[in-house]
Amino acid sequence: MKTALVTGSSGFIGYFVADALLAAGWWVVGVDSMSDYYDVSLKQSRLDLLEAHEGFTNVKSKVEQPGLLTELFGQYQPEIVIHLAAQAGVRYSLENPMSYFETNLGGTLQLLEAARAHPPKHMLLASSSSAYGANTEMPYQENMKADHQMSLYAATKKSTENIAHSYSHLFGLPITMFRFFTVYGPWGRPDMAPHKFTSRILEGRAIDVYNHGQMRRDFTYVTDLVQAILMLVDAVPDHLTQQGKFVGDSLSPVAPHRVVNIGNADAIPLLDFIKAIEEATGTEAQMNLMPMQPGDVPATWADTSLLQSLTGYVPHTSVRDGVAQFVNWYRDYYSI
């Protein structure tokens, strides 16, 4: 069996990636620390589903633990690596900045050192749309200059892109960095807006809506994101043979390293997203209109032309359909 190593495998996106790989016949080695950044029972529920598969091996550990990933790479010799483990959250980076350096930078460095010792065929590392920072020209294209990140979280994600490029250049490691855009769906994180909005609306409590509702996001349904990631597995970057092959390609001129947006290619007003939750729950939202929060940006919008050129895939789930599926899962999981 082909072996894939997935970090952050009990996380929101990691669970869906691992599950999809298992369904496709891969042996999956999952690494997750089960940190208490949010409700660990939710992570455990995801892990329980993964462990029901014979082809899944769970490793409970922090990715930044020295030598752990090198040992796992040597033991399992993964053909592909999908690196999703990270300290998430823009606002939490104001409260606990050291955790972002330890996990996002330290963990990625440990991963790259492991790959240096035991090179896989392809590594796919998660970045974020927040890497675009203060850019106001939209939709965001991968070749845009991205030097003015607005939060420590965003700065660490952009830094991992740079560090990965250096390793790709020095050691010939094929690396695809994917920048994802406001991912939502069943099993989503409780600290994200869809979860918080749904819980408060169902409980009859007011929701906090920042920038007085004048926000737009490229909401991406989780299974669309995962489908794109799996299709990118075969789109291995090669700077020696692929230069100029794809219009707007972010392929490095000196390394097998590429950055790819994964989004829905649409900037949805936040108030429309809230309306979709109201429709799915059958309950009108009470809103506290608030000023913009530190580190946030008013809009995100992905140009997905490169993703389509590389894979032929276009994310397609509408916000109305995606929110309805999330609310159905929420009611079922929390027995509401």
Side-chain angles (χ1 to χ4, degrees), residues 10 22 51 61 63 65 69 87 95 131 162 168 191 216 228 234 248 268 293 299 302-303 307 312:
S10 297
L22 289 163
E51 289 191 315
S61 177
V63 289
Q65 180 178 321
L69 291 174
Q87 176 56 62
E95 302 172 26
N162 297 338
S168 179
D191 63 311
R216 300 174 73 91
D234 293 326
I268 301 295
Q293 292 193 109
D303 184 319
L307 173 66

Side-chain angles (χ1 to χ4, degrees), residues 140-160:
Y140 291 147
Q141 296 177 322
E142 293 88 345
N143 283 323
M144 284 180 172
K145 190 174 182 180
D147 288 341
H148 304 108
Q149 285 72 50
M150 303 284 280
S151 68
L152 178 61
Y153 166 72
T156 61
K157 299 306 280 186
K158 184 59 168 65
S159 295
T160 62

Side-chain angles (χ1 to χ4, degrees), residues 21-39:
L21 287 168
L22 289 163
W26 288 78
W27 184 279
V28 177
V29 179
V31 183
D32 200 296
S33 69
M34 305 294 283
S35 72
D36 61 359
Y37 169 62
Y38 63 84
D39 184 9

Side-chain angles (χ1 to χ4, degrees), residues 183-194:
V183 185
Y184 73 101
W187 298 100
R189 294 191 347 240
D191 63 311
M192 295 292 288

Side-chain angles (χ1 to χ4, degrees), residues 73-120:
F73 274 49
Q75 179 180 355
Y76 293 103
Q77 298 290 320
E79 294 183 42
I80 64 166
V81 174
I82 301 178
H83 179 46
L84 297 160
Q87 176 56 62
V90 169
R91 283 172 284 283
Y92 186 62
S93 66
L94 299 173
E95 302 172 26
N96 189 7
M98 191 55 66
S99 66
Y100 289 77
F101 278 85
E102 291 171 349
T103 301
N104 299 2
L105 297 180
T108 300
L109 187 60
Q110 289 291 333
L111 184 89
L112 292 167
E113 278 292 293
R116 176 183 176 183
H118 306 282

Side-chain angles (χ1 to χ4, degrees), residues 192-209:
M192 295 292 288
H195 202 290
K196 290 195 292 187
F197 287 171
T198 299
S199 65
R200 286 178 172 269
I201 289 171
L202 287 173
E203 293 167 5
R205 295 189 294 155
I207 60 175
D208 293 336
V209 180

